[in-house]
Amino acid sequence: GQQLNQSPQSMFIQEGEDVSMNCTSSSIFNTWLWYKQDPGEGPVLLIALYKAGELTSNGRLTAQFGITRKDSFLNISASIPSDVGIYFCAGQEGAGGTSYGKLTFGQGTILTVHP
Amino acid sequence: EPEVTQTPSHQVTQMGQEVILRCVPISNHLYFYWYRQILGQKVEFLVSFYNNEISEKSEIFDDQFSVERPDGSNFTLKIRSTKLEDSAMYFCASSEAWGLGGDQPQHFGDGTRLSIL
C-alpha cells in the first residue's frame, strides 16, 4: 500500500523558533492535509491542500503541496508553548483514483516547545 | 463549530466479547470513516462508508468488523469476538463531500480508547 515518510520524528525547540517538517511519498496524492493531535484527542485539521504547487497559510502555519504531488511541508513560525503536540501529514488520492477518500497518514512529528 | 462526537470515550472489554463503538458525524456530512491508532503509532484507515454501503476497506477490516448507519445520525463500528491486538484508539471521521464536485477534508472525533483484557 501507499506509504508516507514523515520527518523529523521529533523536534525539541525553544519558544519563538520556527519549525519545519515534511512528508514524502513514493506515489502521487491529489490532496495533502496536515493535522495536529493533542494527547487523548482526535486529529484536528490545520491545513488542506488541493493543488500541486499550492502554498496555503493559516495564521503562523504555512504548508505547501509539492509540484510532483509526492511531497508536502509544514512550517510553523514563532512557535509558542501551545504548539506542542503531534503533527501528522495525510494524503488522499482524490477522484478517479482507486480509493474512496481514504487518508494515508505519516508517522507523525512530535513537537516539544520549551518556554 | 459542528463536531464529530464519539461514545464511549473509553471501553474496557474482555477478550472474545463484542463491542460497539458509536459515532455521530457532522449533520450535513455524507461520507463516513473509521480509523484506528495503536498506542504510539500512526493513524490507520479501516473503512469508508457512503450511501449506506462500504466504499472501501483495508486489510485490517476483516470479517470481525462491521459498520452500520442504523438511523439518520449514528454511525457504528462493531467488533465481534475481540482480540488483545484490537486494543487501540478508534477514530470516526466524516466529510461533506469527496470526489468530483470538490474534495472536502475529513473531520475527526476525539476517539474511543478500546482496551481488551
Side-chain angles (χ1 to χ4, degrees), chain A residues 32 51-54 64-73:
Chain A
W32 283 89
K51 210 168 154 182
E54 180 181 353
Q64 183 153 33
F65 190 150
I67 283 289
T68 64
R69 294 192 284 162
K70 292 183 179 181
D71 63 304
S72 177
F73 72 74

Side-chain angles (χ1 to χ4, degrees), chain B residues 48-56:
Chain B
S48 59
F49 190 88
Y50 168 70
N51 201 25
N52 278 321
E53 57 183 32
I54 290 174
S55 305
E56 184 182 9

Side-chain angles (χ1 to χ4, degrees), chain A residues 35 37 42 50 99-101 103, chain B residues 35 37 56 98 105-106 109-110:
Chain A
Y35 287 88
Q37 186 179 29
Y50 297 108
S99 81
Y100 292 83
L103 292 178
Chain B
Y35 293 83
Q37 185 180 33
E56 184 182 9
W98 176 83
Q106 292 173 31
D110 279 341

